[in-house]
Amino acid sequence: MMTMAPPQASTLAGSVDTLFDVMLALTGTISVAVFVVMIFFCVKYRRRSHADRSNANQTRLGVEVAWTVVPFLMFMALFGWSISLWSRMRTPPADAAPIYVVAKQWMWKVQHPGGQREIDSLHVPLGRPIRLVMTSQDVIHDFYVPAFRQKQDVLPGRYTQLWFTATREGEYPLLCSQYCGTDHARMTGNVTVMKPADYARWLQAHAGTGLAEQGAERFRRFGCSGCHGSQSSVHAPDLDGLYGSTVPLADGSQVRADDRYIRDSIMLPRKQVAAGYAPIMPSYTGRIGEDDVLALIAYLKSRHATTETAREQH
Amino acid sequence: MNSIESAVPPPRSYLDDGHSLRSWLFTHDHKRIAILYALAITFFFFLGGFAAMLIRLELITPAGDLLTADAYNKAFTFHGVVMVWFFLIPSIPATLGNFLLPMMIGARDMAFPRLNLFSWYLYMIGGLFTLAMLVLGGVDTGWTFYTPFSTMFSNGHVMLTVVGVFVVGFSSILTGINFIVTTHSMRAPGMTWMRLPLFVWAMYAVALVMVLATPVLAMTLSLIALERIFGVGIFDPALGGDPVLFQHFFWFYSHPAVYIMVLPAMGVVSELITAGARKRIFGYRFMVWAIVGISVVGFLVWGHHMFVAGQSMYASMVFSILSFIIAVPSAIKVFNWTATLYKGRIDFNAPMLYALGFVGLFMLGGMTGIFLAATALDVSLHDTYFVVAHFHYIMVGGSVMAYLGGIHFWWPKVTGRLYSQAWARFAAILMFFGFNLTFFPQYLLGYEGMPRRYHEYLPQFQVLNILSSAGASILAVSYLLPLVYLGWSLRHGPRAGPNPWRAKGLEWLTDSPPPTHNFEVTPVVNEGPYAYEDA
């Protein structure tokens, strides 16, 4: 049966399959053992047999304790193994390269930081950790690549992430595995794993305006700069250096300005109001798409980076 | 009490106590109510089965050629809603439980006979809403109603379905209350807690779970209604809600609901195996504590449905370890059933074949549950056919086998008639093979990466899907067979007598079919259950 597994195309796949095989061997052995004992008893103690049945109704405490404690210890060992692998699967390496995914009924939109866009396909280089930052425009979807042994729900109103390092060139199915309505079964695509050099060429060929520059353009077009720009007379927070900083809120608490905070501030501005500012920011929910928000975040991130460099130069 | 019992006139069987429709529809007799339930859930079982047949026919080919995508989505939603709420949850408790619980503890009826009848009417009202939903065009949310799809995006008859499930939930709450009070207050003299048959323990535990968990379902469904009708932002992030909150609420009910479906099956099988092997259950106390343990820990594992849903990594770790732990009492039960066969005098009658089939299928379902409890493996397997196979092994291989085993075991008691053992054995064996052929390939499909709820699929999955559909047709035949030979026995079966299996248990002391008030004289209990001494 092992030959039926999907190809192993990520650094995690081998470890996941090893755990699966060990578990299969353990539970398989126990199941077969119980079946054999059951069939043996059924034959030996069938109604018409003359087998010895003296002291039939004894219950032995030792037996009960043994078959309680042994499975328990076995389960705890398997839990420990599984959880250490799980932590690895859920913690992207610090140097993982981000790629942005927006799911909607019923397609996958992919945005590379360099401005390359794809629909229902994702190109990634071999051997480099990739971190997908994902959100949904409507209902819950799920990004599933069997060959990578990775899967993560993609939620509206939130960013979830999924990481992998591809280890084998080729095309692998990408599937939506959270039921999302009529064409759920057609919300599929391909992940193409390429040699780094080929990938660089692919990036070059599909380069567009960078995500941060797209964000800068949207920052003006959506009217953000009208209040948040340096020339503005409106009392609105200055967004230079915002990304990654700690923001004091009107209710006295503090929040780190990460992707989620910035997204919420655009789409649900009343949720967390910055201290010292009137809650006058209009909500952009329904007016702009999740891909626009991703571009805006990339833009604010770049402004953070430029201020950092500026500070370092002083 | 005894003087009142002896004043009862000569017993007339509960079936002969009035033949009019009115005498059935207004009955307070727990046995007649059990039969009303049995008729209703049989109807819904075949209706849900019909939807399953459409699903399996569609999946014979990779292309979506038999049904449209929407029709397919409605078929699996209808299958899930009907099978979970209108068959599996009421199945054993409302039929066998209603019939047997008072008899097994030596009582004349339930503590609240009118409430018992009322709960059947609630079930029927919920059922009518569900039928209305079907007739008007169905619903496509899946039985899990995940938000924000169900609240803001689905165009189906979500509200009709939600109201139907809401109402039927109260039917199980009322049944649960009745079981709890009856078990506490109506046991015959000498029937101490540690002398209760395991079936009664299972009914008691399941009643507690019903009463504690089902209100959360009612609350969750109400919140769906609030958001869908009035646009109150609870689950949809566009309105400021949180879609994962819905999943927490939903599984806080629906995971215990899995135990509502399987605990009664465990109770039935304990009765069947002891009677079939003519032996005391091995490790009675461990079996009792396993039931109690499962029903308590069952409340603490709901998050294992959400390992990839965006739940915190640490929450997932806690839910994972608890899910491993809940496998321990299930393992204890399998080992004890097996050990009960040791030095028994095993008669392979039809109920025993069903019971042995249950143990095998439940074990395979349970073992694969351990894979899913392991977070690292669940990432791959979650929402694939592996999960579909896993829960069908527990609920169809487990609960339905046990339900049918119980029907065959107590049929002589309920109807006073015997049925053809040869046909019944044949149906049980056919069911075992048909079931495995249907669902074992689905483990492999999930392992290969086929997601569930797919109307179309990649061509490499076709062979296994054809096997599964072939198995489903065998399974369908094996479910129809009992209708024929059990139906035949109603008219032509030989008279059963009070105790055709020579089984222990108070229900076998009285006539078959029993008189309206079960016992002419309230029995006095002076020994534990399963006192088989002739092994």
Side-chain angles (χ1 to χ4, degrees):
Chain A
M1 288 305 140
M2 289 308 94
T3 52
M4 301 177 87
Q8 299 180 341
S10 79
T11 49
L12 297 166
S15 316
V16 172
D17 287 358
T18 308
L19 177 59
F20 187 97
D21 293 348
V22 168
M23 247 180 182
L24 188 64
L26 268 176
T27 55
T29 310
I30 296 172
S31 305
V32 169
V34 173
F35 284 136
V36 168
V37 170
M38 226 164 122
I39 291 167
F40 174 74
F41 285 168
C42 280
V43 173
K44 183 163 184 194
Y45 300 111
R46 66 190 183 279
R47 192 167 47 138
R48 293 183 204 289
S49 82
H50 298 289
D52 171 36
R53 290 183 172 87
S54 50
N55 299 324
N57 278 327
Q58 269 181 356
T59 294
R60 287 163 203 243
L61 188 65
V63 180
E64 294 282 357
V65 171
W67 68 39
T68 307
V69 172
V70 171
F72 176 77
L73 294 178
M74 188 184 98
F75 291 156
M76 288 307 101
L78 289 172
F79 167 75
W81 183 349
S82 154
I83 220 67
S84 70
L85 177 54
W86 156 264
S87 318
R88 224 178 96 205
M89 294 170 86
R90 293 283 119 167
T91 320
D95 62 338
I99 297 177
Y100 302 93
V101 175
V102 176
K104 55 187 281 189
Q105 288 176 326
W106 291 273
M107 61 159 78
W108 299 101
K109 291 166 81 176
V110 175
Q111 292 220 342
H112 296 260
Q116 297 82 355
R117 289 160 166 270
E118 307 182 61
I119 286 181
D120 291 342
S121 77
L122 168 66
H123 286 74
V124 293
L126 204 60
R128 178 156 178 219
I130 300 291
R131 180 168 66 97
L132 300 180
V133 177
M134 309 185 290
T135 189
S136 162
Q137 185 103 339
D138 37 50
V139 302
I140 301 178
H141 301 275
D142 184 287
F143 192 97
Y144 175 35
V145 183
F148 294 163
R149 308 291 188 276
Q150 272 288 42
K151 174 186 288 152
Q152 173 63 49
D153 277 9
V154 180
L155 303 161
R158 230 171 108 175
Y159 294 109
T160 53
Q161 57 177 10
L162 175 153
W163 83 274
F164 56 85
T165 305
T167 54
R168 196 199 282 191
E169 261 184 284
E171 285 209 357
Y172 304 103
L174 152 67
L175 306 163
C176 176
S177 86
Q178 181 63 266
Y179 175 66
C180 57
T182 307
D183 277 334
H184 167 56
R186 289 189 177 164
M187 193 167 159
T188 58
N190 273 306
V191 178
T192 309
V193 179
M194 311 170 92
K195 285 204 191 76
D198 294 341
Y199 183 68
R201 263 193 296 279
W202 181 87
L203 283 180
Q204 198 118 57
H206 294 81
T209 321
L211 201 54
E213 290 151 66
Q214 293 176 29
E217 183 270 325
R218 284 172 170 76
F219 195 75
R220 285 185 297 278
R221 183 150 56 89
F222 297 147
C224 313
S225 53
C227 299
H228 294 284
S230 48
Q231 314 295 320
S232 168
S233 57
V234 182
H235 181 57
D238 176 18
L239 303 183
D240 276 335
L242 170 71
Y243 192 89
S245 66
T246 305
V247 181
L249 297 179
D251 65 4
S253 62
Q254 292 190 327
V255 65
R256 216 179 89 85
D258 54 6
D259 294 355
R260 184 203 61 79
Y261 170 74
I262 294 173
R263 184 200 171 279
D264 284 355
S265 301
I266 300 168
M267 305 299 259
L268 305 163
R270 300 287 167 95
K271 195 170 158 189
Q272 291 175 311
V273 178
Y277 295 93
I280 51 172
M281 161 108 180
S283 164
Y284 280 80
T285 300
R287 295 170 59 190
I288 64 174
E290 291 294 343
D291 37 357
D292 298 321
V293 180
L294 285 170
L296 287 171
I297 293 174
Y299 169 60
L300 292 182
K301 238 185 243 185
S302 74
R303 279 175 58 172
H304 164 74
T306 42
T307 40
E308 287 285 283
T309 14
R311 259 184 225 143
E312 276 161 28
Q313 282 165 357
H314 276 293
Chain B
M1 290 300 279
N2 266 330
S3 60
I4 301 172
E5 311 293 335
S6 51
V8 172
R12 191 164 51 161
S13 117
Y14 77 102
L15 291 172
D16 290 329
D17 199 354
H19 293 278
S20 64
L21 188 61
R22 198 188 146 80
S23 74
W24 281 89
L25 293 182
F26 293 98
T27 183
H28 295 161
D29 184 343
H30 66 102
K31 300 184 287 303
R32 285 190 163 212
I33 294 169
I35 287 177
L36 292 176
Y37 263 118
L39 293 173
I41 71 166
T42 305
F43 170 74
F44 277 106
F45 175 75
F46 283 101
L47 204 58
F50 181 75
M53 202 183 79
L54 290 179
I55 294 170
R56 282 317 325 165
L57 283 174
E58 170 61 69
L59 293 178
I60 291 174
T61 57
D65 35 21
L66 179 69
L67 304 171
T68 62
D70 277 324
Y72 179 83
N73 296 342
K74 286 173 180 174
F76 74 67
T77 303
F78 188 75
H79 172 68
V81 167
V82 164
M83 287 304 202
V84 169
W85 281 296
F86 294 91
F87 177 72
L88 281 167
I89 286 181
S91 63
I92 295 174
T95 58
L96 296 172
N98 252 330
F99 196 98
L100 294 165
L101 179 68
M103 302 192 70
M104 283 184 164
I105 61 174
R108 295 169 52 143
D109 205 320
M110 286 286 178
F112 306 119
R114 286 183 193 82
L115 195 66
N116 202 8
L117 182 64
F118 181 55
S119 72
W120 181 74
Y121 277 101
L122 285 180
Y123 172 91
M124 295 305 282
I125 293 169
L128 287 178
F129 275 101
T130 306
L131 289 178
M133 170 270 279
L134 177 68
V135 171
L136 293 175
V139 70
D140 65 344
T141 58
W143 78 278
T144 47
F145 302 117
Y146 268 23
T147 56
F149 182 72
S150 67
T151 53
M152 307 309 282
F153 291 85
S154 170
N155 295 317
H157 293 280
V158 179
M159 284 321 300
L160 272 179
T161 319
V162 161
V163 171
V165 173
F166 181 89
V167 173
V168 85
F170 280 92
S171 155
S172 61
I173 293 173
L174 297 184
T175 301
I177 291 173
N178 226 335
F179 282 11
I180 293 169
V181 177
T182 306
T183 312
H184 271 278
S185 62
M186 300 185 64
R187 283 170 288 127
M191 181 57 94
T192 60
W193 285 90
M194 281 297 151
R195 283 177 181 171
L196 288 176
L198 289 171
F199 180 78
V200 176
W201 268 110
M203 284 302 120
Y204 179 72
V206 87
L208 285 176
V209 178
M210 280 173 168
V211 169
L212 292 174
T214 317
V216 180
L217 174 72
M219 180 199 83
T220 311
L221 296 173
S222 312
L223 293 177
I224 288 188
L226 271 183
E227 183 162 291
R228 192 170 166 91
I229 300 174
F230 301 108
V232 179
I234 298 159
F235 303 126
D236 183 9
L239 303 170
D242 181 352
V244 180
L245 179 68
F246 172 82
Q247 297 177 27
H248 278 289
F249 286 161
F250 183 80
W251 292 113
F252 186 84
Y253 162 78
S254 289
H255 199 81
V258 170
Y259 297 103
I260 295 179
M261 300 178 225
V262 81
L263 282 170
M266 293 171 160
V268 166
V269 165
S270 299
E271 305 299 312
L272 267 47
I273 286 188
T274 46
R278 303 206 59 74
K279 248 198 76 190
R280 280 173 204 243
I281 195 88
F282 193 87
Y284 173 81
R285 274 167 195 276
F286 281 82
M287 291 300 252
V288 170
W289 289 114
I291 290 174
V292 175
I294 288 171
S295 43
V296 172
V297 184
F299 275 99
L300 305 174
V301 296
W302 78 88
H304 68 211
H305 295 268
M306 298 157 62
F307 288 156
V308 299
Q311 163 179 269
S312 117
M313 196 169 96
Y314 302 100
S316 292
M317 287 182 183
V318 174
F319 285 120
S320 172
I321 196 168
L322 287 164
S323 306
F324 273 103
I325 287 172
I326 202 171
V328 174
S330 300
I332 293 174
K333 296 197 80 81
V334 168
F335 295 145
N336 277 306
W337 286 319
T338 309
T340 301
L341 301 174
Y342 175 65
K343 292 191 174 178
R345 194 171 289 279
I346 302 165
D347 187 352
F348 296 100
N349 49 42
M352 186 63 167
L353 293 182
Y354 277 106
L356 293 172
F358 167 92
V359 177
L361 299 178
F362 175 74
M363 182 162 66
L364 284 183
M367 290 291 189
T368 48
I370 302 184
F371 289 68
L372 298 170
T375 42
L377 297 182
D378 183 69
V379 169
S380 284
L381 301 173
H382 190 84
D383 273 333
T384 68
Y385 264 87
F386 192 91
V387 175
V388 176
H390 159 70
F391 70 74
H392 280 90
Y393 263 77
I394 300 287
M395 290 177 190
V396 184
S399 303
V400 178
M401 285 293 263
Y403 171 68
L404 288 173
I407 292 289
H408 283 83
F409 186 59
W410 284 290
W411 184 264
K413 178 57 59 186
V414 175
T415 65
R417 302 281 188 163
L418 297 175
Y419 51 85
S420 158
Q421 275 293 319
W423 276 106
R425 283 186 190 139
F426 173 68
I429 292 167
L430 193 66
M431 201 174 290
F432 185 80
F433 282 105
F435 177 85
N436 279 302
L437 186 56
T438 309
F439 291 103
F440 199 83
Q442 298 187 3
Y443 279 127
L444 305 177
L445 282 171
Y447 179 66
E448 286 185 50
M450 176 167 163
R452 63 192 289 205
R453 296 173 166 179
Y454 260 34
H455 166 234
E456 303 175 343
Y457 55 85
L458 299 172
Q460 72 246 37
F461 299 134
Q462 188 174 13
V463 174
L464 289 168
N465 270 300
I466 289 176
L467 284 178
S468 179
S469 295
S473 57
I474 297 177
L475 200 53
V477 172
S478 73
Y479 285 142
L480 289 167
L481 272 179
L483 284 185
V484 179
Y485 61 75
L486 290 179
W488 182 88
S489 90
L490 280 180
R491 218 162 247 289
H492 308 289
R495 298 276 170 191
N499 190 359
W501 312 110
R502 294 190 302 124
K504 299 288 177 180
L506 300 183
E507 77 271 28
W508 300 108
L509 295 179
T510 186
D511 286 343
S512 306
T516 303
H517 290 297
N518 299 345
F519 301 99
E520 284 177 69
V521 178
T522 297
V524 175
V525 181
N526 47 30
E527 59 187 358
Y530 319 118
Y532 295 100
E533 295 297 352
D534 55 339

